[in-house]
């Protein structure tokens, strides 16, 4: 396993999920007390910053269906 810097400057929970070959998803505290939001960021060095994916959600996961 290796660490790769990403464009997120905040401390991120250790439960980030790889959505695809180029995108990571992770939870950060939300606006309201006790909530969290799901954010995405490119996997690896990038000038593209974090992007809000889903409000009031936590623990991102990927579900892969049968092909």
């Amino acid at each position: 396993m290796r660490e790769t810097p990403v464009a997120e400057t905040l401390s991120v929970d250790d439960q980030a999920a790889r959505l695809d070959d180029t995108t990571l998803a992770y939870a950060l505290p939300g606006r309201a007390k006790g909530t969290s939001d799901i954010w995405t960021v490119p996997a690896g060095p990038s000038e593209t910053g974090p992007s809000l994916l889903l409000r009031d959600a936590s623990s991102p996961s990927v579900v892969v269906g049968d092909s």
Side-chain angles (χ1 to χ4, degrees):
M1 185 183 297
R2 66 178 180 173
E3 289 187 23
T4 302
V6 295
E8 178 59 75
T9 59
L10 299 174
S11 178
V12 174
D13 183 12
D14 64 346
Q15 295 183 15
R18 185 176 286 272
L19 296 184
D20 56 36
D21 289 341
T22 62
T23 311
L24 297 176
Y26 51 92
L28 289 176
R31 291 181 181 178
K33 183 178 179 180
T35 66
S36 60
D37 300 327
I38 302 297
W39 291 79
T40 62
V41 70
S46 173
E47 292 188 21
T48 303
S51 177
L52 179 64
L53 178 66
L54 190 61
R55 287 202 186 280
D56 300 324
S58 62
S59 300
S61 63
V62 176
V63 178
V64 179
D66 293 333
S67 346

